[in-house]
Amino acid sequence: MMSSMNVEQARFNMIEQQVRPWDVLDPRVLDAMTQTPRELFVPATYSVLAFADISIPLAHEQVMLSPKVQGRIAQSLLLDSNDTVLEIGTGNGYLTALLAKLADKVDSVDIFEEFTKTTAEKLHALGLNNVTLETGDAANGWKQDKRYDVIALTGSLPLLKPYWQEQLKIGGRLFAIVGESPIMQARVITRLSDKEWMTDYIFETDIPALLNAPQPSRFVL
C-alpha cells in the first residue's frame, strides 16, 4: 500500500507525465483530476495501477479508461458550472465525479446496478451531491423528452444513431466513440441549431462497446 505522500506523488506524475502531454491543458479539468481521488474508484485488486497509463478491468467485462482519455473526454466537452450532463455508462464512477465537479448537474445511467450503487457511495463520501444515478439499459436512448447541455457516452458504439445528438440543447455537446475494433474514433458533436450539427474528431482508441448498442446492417452475399 502506498503512503499518502507516495499517492500524491503518483497523482502528480499521472497528470504531468500522462494527462498534460496528451494535450489536456484546461486548468479546471486538471484541478478536478488533482482533487478527485482516483484510487478510491479503482477495484482493490488493481489498486497499485490506479495512476497507470492503462485501462483497468472492471466487473462485467467493462473497463476504467486511462487517465489521459478521461481527462481528454472531460476537456473536449467544454463544461461550465451551469451545464446539465447526461452520462451513459457510469462504470466505476471516476469520470462521473469529474463531470460533477465541472458541471451543475449530472444524470448518470448504467445497466449494472453494482456500478450505480458503488458509485453512489463513493460520490456521497466525496460530498458530491449533484449527481442522479439510475440503473437501466440506455444503449438505445434515455429520457429522450429531456434536453441536455452535454451528453457523454463512455462505451463505444458501432453505429451512432441520430437521437443522441437530437437530445442536445442548442450549443450542446455530445461525446461518442464510434466504430468497431481495432479502430474507433472519439468525436464531439456540437448542436449549432435545430437542424445543424458540427463534428470534431478528437482521437482514435479501442474500448468495449455499450451493451446492446445498435449494430450496422450486415449484408451477406
Side-chain angles (χ1 to χ4, degrees):
M1 182 178 293
M2 289 190 287
S3 70
S4 58
M5 185 179 297
N6 289 340
V7 167
E8 292 313 314
Q9 185 62 52
R11 196 186 328 280
F12 176 84
N13 292 344
M14 173 191 81
I15 289 172
E16 296 302 317
Q17 298 171 11
Q18 300 172 40
V19 180
R20 280 186 185 272
W22 228 48
D23 291 330
V24 181
L25 304 173
D26 185 326
R28 293 182 68 236
V29 174
L30 295 174
D31 286 349
M33 297 188 77
T34 298
Q35 296 163 12
T36 304
R38 185 177 173 85
E39 66 276 13
L40 176 67
F41 295 89
V42 174
T45 311
Y46 299 101
S47 60
V48 296
L49 300 175
F51 306 103
D53 185 17
I54 60 170
S55 293
I56 295 176
L58 302 175
H60 310 293
E61 300 183 343
Q62 302 303 298
V63 300
M64 177 184 191
L65 300 175
S66 69
K68 66 186 183 187
V69 170
Q70 291 180 313
R72 194 76 172 273
I73 292 171
Q75 176 174 270
S76 71
L77 290 169
L78 302 175
L79 291 153
D80 72 38
S81 57
N82 297 313
D83 282 337
T84 299
V85 180
L86 173 63
E87 179 189 37
I88 303 299
T90 310
N92 69 330
Y94 177 73
L95 182 60
T96 314
L98 295 182
L99 297 174
K101 290 194 172 190
L102 294 165
D104 180 50
K105 178 81 172 63
V106 179
D107 293 344
S108 186
V109 185
D110 202 286
I111 196 169
F112 297 111
E113 185 177 14
E114 176 185 349
F115 288 156
T116 51
K117 184 177 179 181
T118 57
T119 294
E121 294 167 357
K122 291 168 184 176
L123 296 180
H124 178 73
L126 294 175
L128 293 171
N129 304 314
N130 59 335
V131 179
T132 300
L133 290 154
E134 296 187 76
T135 302
D137 183 352
N140 292 282
W142 189 260
K143 295 186 176 177
Q144 293 180 9
D145 57 336
K146 186 172 180 180
R147 296 288 177 263
Y148 288 91
D149 299 294
V150 169
I151 300 174
L153 308 175
T154 66
S156 65
L157 294 169
L159 179 69
L160 181 63
K161 292 282 192 175
Y163 46 71
W164 291 116
Q165 63 193 50
E166 289 168 357
Q167 200 168 349
L168 294 170
K169 296 177 183 177
I170 305 300
R173 289 84 62 202
L174 165 69
F175 176 86
I177 294 172
V178 184
E180 297 179 88
S181 186
I183 298 175
M184 304 171 184
Q185 287 187 318
R187 58 186 72 172
V188 174
I189 299 172
T190 303
R191 186 167 199 167
L192 304 177
S193 69
D194 283 343
K195 302 292 185 183
E196 292 179 291
W197 290 265
M198 176 180 69
T199 301
D200 291 312
Y201 297 92
I202 311 297
F203 56 87
E204 290 188 348
T205 188
D206 187 357
I207 68 168
L210 285 177
L211 292 184
N212 305 325
Q215 298 292 320
S217 299
R218 308 290 185 188
F219 293 98
V220 180
L221 297 177

